[in-house]
Amino acid sequence: MSERFSFDLHARDGKARTGVIQTPRGAVRTPAFMPVGTAATVKAMMPESVRATGADILLGNTYHLMLRPTAERIDRLGGLHKFMNWERPILTDSGGFQVMSLAGLRKLTEKGVTFKSHIDGSKHELTPERSMEIQRLLGSDIVMCFDECPALPADRDRIAESMRLSMRWAERSRAAFGDRPGHALFGIMQGGLEQDLREESAEALKAIGFEGYAVGGLAVGEGQEAMFDCLDYAPGFLPEDKPRYLMGVGKPDDIVGAVKRGIDMMDCVLPSRSGRTGQVFTRHGVLNIKNARHIDDPRPLDEACTCPACRNFSRAYLHHVFRSQEIISSMLLTWHNLHYFQEIMAGMREAIAAGTFAAWEADFHAGRAQGDI
Ligand SMILES: Cc1ccc(CCc2c3nc[nH]c3cc3c(=O)[nH]c(N)nc23)cc1
């Protein structure tokens, strides 16, 4: 364990990179996929199971935890790591994104956002300063700047105005974060799909200086083509020697395309949320276990998968427990999906280190082209 936060780049293959983020709570191998543990739990998973899938770090959420059970209560109980029994690194989002997508009656000013809780209607305020305080109380290892992510589609002026507000909030976040060795503050690039605004945002963040940089404002409905067009230039505006985190991405092919374009870290609710709806990701493509065609199928989800769902259960069984709404259905399908997402990350790390990323990517896409799996 290191006492400090650092990022070591081990190899590159084209724009793709592989390395390690060292933190006092453990190392994070990049490219990294970060499971989402919004309310202090990765739904349907024990923490040791999340680790068993290969995860080095998981995500917590300022918005949800400030409302319930509150950051002050988690702090009194020893912090989020102890509270949720996950002693490895935790990254927390700053809360602004969830306020705009979840909270009621929101008011946005230069100071921050006031809103009503979607849980009990109580009034709350989030500012850069309050977000930094909440993330400090939670004890997260990687703290995100308080930003505003504009809903798309939005006109250029709105995007520019929003980005510039987020840059002023990034300044205030940095000032409020203070000097916290071993902890990192990441800036969040905004600017929508406008190349010049993305560059302006990156320049503003670099002038402030952060331990890592996120590409925000994507995975908000723009579609994969527009996202990749933006990722063809946006990561390159960020420092080479610092981690680059693409927020909220994504499906397996989004993840591969993002790593190919220079992204080091990603998060998405997809593997866990879709597991609860019966959607299963495999190397041969996607299937939904609720489909009647699985009712008598003795095969595992994926013959080549080593997760507990694939080692010990048939599709017929998984179909049965999903249809019966048994709790084990969410457990097994979530575990499988997270395991598969981590397998993609491990494959890419290895391929980048070996200089064979292009071949790995071709094999990844070929395997998924099959029909009914
Ligand atoms: C627990 C948790 C859930 C979700 C997130 C990421 C949430 C998220 C986005 N998700 C999709 N697109 C996103 C864009 C942004 C963004 O621009 N800024 C911030 N702060 N978060 C984003 C972080 C933590």
Side-chain angles (χ1 to χ4, degrees):
M1 302 300 184
S2 73
E3 279 317 300
R4 307 212 39 88
F5 181 95
S6 63
F7 179 47
D8 307 301
L9 260 180
H10 293 166
R12 291 178 176 79
D13 188 343
K15 287 184 175 180
R17 303 124 58 90
T18 184
V20 177
I21 298 171
Q22 292 292 350
T23 83
R25 283 198 172 90
V28 180
R29 297 163 291 179
T30 67
F33 180 80
M34 305 182 285
V36 170
T38 297
T41 159
V42 177
K43 290 179 173 51
M45 296 287 286
M46 297 280 278
E48 53 266 41
S49 306
V50 175
R51 178 58 184 164
T53 66
D56 291 335
I57 179 172
L58 58 79
L59 262 54
N61 199 291
T62 292
Y63 171 75
H64 294 82
L65 296 172
M66 71 184 279
L67 298 180
R68 184 175 55 188
T70 77
E72 286 71 14
R73 175 165 287 111
I74 290 178
D75 178 46
R76 286 197 302 270
L77 291 162
L80 186 54
H81 294 84
K82 187 169 184 321
F83 190 58
M84 69 181 291
N85 191 32
W86 172 269
E87 288 306 331
R88 289 180 175 273
I90 293 176
L91 181 152
T92 46
D93 197 11
S94 46
F97 183 82
Q98 283 78 25
V99 167
M100 302 321 272
S101 46
L102 284 172
L105 223 68
R106 306 175 301 267
K107 187 164 177 293
L108 175 72
T109 66
E110 181 70 30
K111 185 168 186 263
V113 185
T114 57
F115 60 94
K116 289 181 80 169
S117 161
H118 72 286
I119 296 169
D120 61 11
S122 55
K123 281 198 76 171
H124 296 267
E125 178 183 53
L126 259 183
T127 64
E129 294 75 17
R130 176 63 178 146
S131 177
M132 294 303 110
E133 182 186 32
I134 291 170
Q135 296 181 76
R136 182 182 54 75
L137 288 168
L138 296 176
S140 68
D141 305 280
I142 300 178
V143 171
M144 300 307 293
C145 277
F146 187 68
D147 66 329
E148 205 236 338
C149 172
L152 290 184
D155 64 37
R156 183 183 155 82
D157 291 347
R158 166 90 180 87
I159 299 241
E161 188 190 320
S162 171
M163 179 272 286
R164 288 164 189 152
L165 173 64
S166 288
M167 296 306 101
R168 294 193 295 274
W169 283 358
E171 189 92 56
R172 286 168 54 190
S173 298
R174 178 88 265 180
F177 179 80
D179 180 24
R180 302 184 63 210
H183 296 81
L185 178 63
F186 278 25
I188 304 177
M189 179 207 268
Q190 294 291 346
L193 303 175
E194 308 290 329
Q195 183 161 348
D196 59 337
L197 297 181
R198 285 279 174 185
E199 184 161 23
E200 180 185 328
S201 181
E203 291 311 310
L205 293 176
K206 287 188 286 189
I208 299 166
F210 292 97
E211 290 72 71
Y213 295 81
V215 178
L218 292 176
V220 287
E222 73 280 358
Q224 185 184 79
E225 188 183 351
M227 181 176 77
F228 282 172
D229 287 348
C230 182
L231 293 177
D232 281 340
Y233 59 77
F237 293 150
L238 298 171
E240 266 286 300
D241 63 342
K242 296 284 190 299
R244 298 157 177 175
Y245 165 25
L246 175 59
M247 305 187 87
V249 173
K251 302 190 306 303
D253 51 338
D254 294 333
I255 288 171
V256 172
V259 168
K260 181 179 181 177
R261 291 168 174 81
I263 295 295
D264 304 307
M265 304 159 75
M266 285 153 287
D267 81 87
C268 194
V269 292
L270 187 64
S272 36
R273 181 176 294 167
S274 60
R276 299 195 298 277
T277 67
Q279 188 173 47
V280 176
F281 292 90
T282 80
R283 76 201 72 238
H284 304 304
V286 186
L287 65 87
N288 200 303
I289 201 62
K290 67 185 169 195
N291 190 307
R293 64 190 175 90
H294 302 297
I295 196 163
D296 291 316
D297 194 333
R299 296 174 303 159
L301 293 170
D302 178 350
E303 307 279 358
C305 181
T306 59
C307 85
C310 292
R311 272 188 286 108
N312 306 318
F313 300 95
S314 67
R315 289 176 181 211
Y317 175 79
L318 294 168
H319 174 81
H320 161 68
V321 290
F322 181 85
R323 285 283 187 184
S324 316
Q325 298 185 335
E326 287 295 340
I327 292 167
I328 196 171
S329 175
S330 293
M331 294 165 68
L332 290 172
L333 296 185
T334 301
W335 191 320
H336 169 81
N337 282 345
L338 288 175
H339 175 99
Y340 174 59
F341 272 54
Q342 292 300 343
E343 211 176 63
I344 292 172
M345 306 317 292
M348 287 197 285
R349 294 192 293 261
E350 198 180 309
I352 296 164
T356 58
F357 184 78
W360 183 92
E361 185 192 13
D363 179 64
F364 168 82
H365 285 296
R368 314 172 65 72
Q370 295 169 25
D372 268 352
I373 55 170

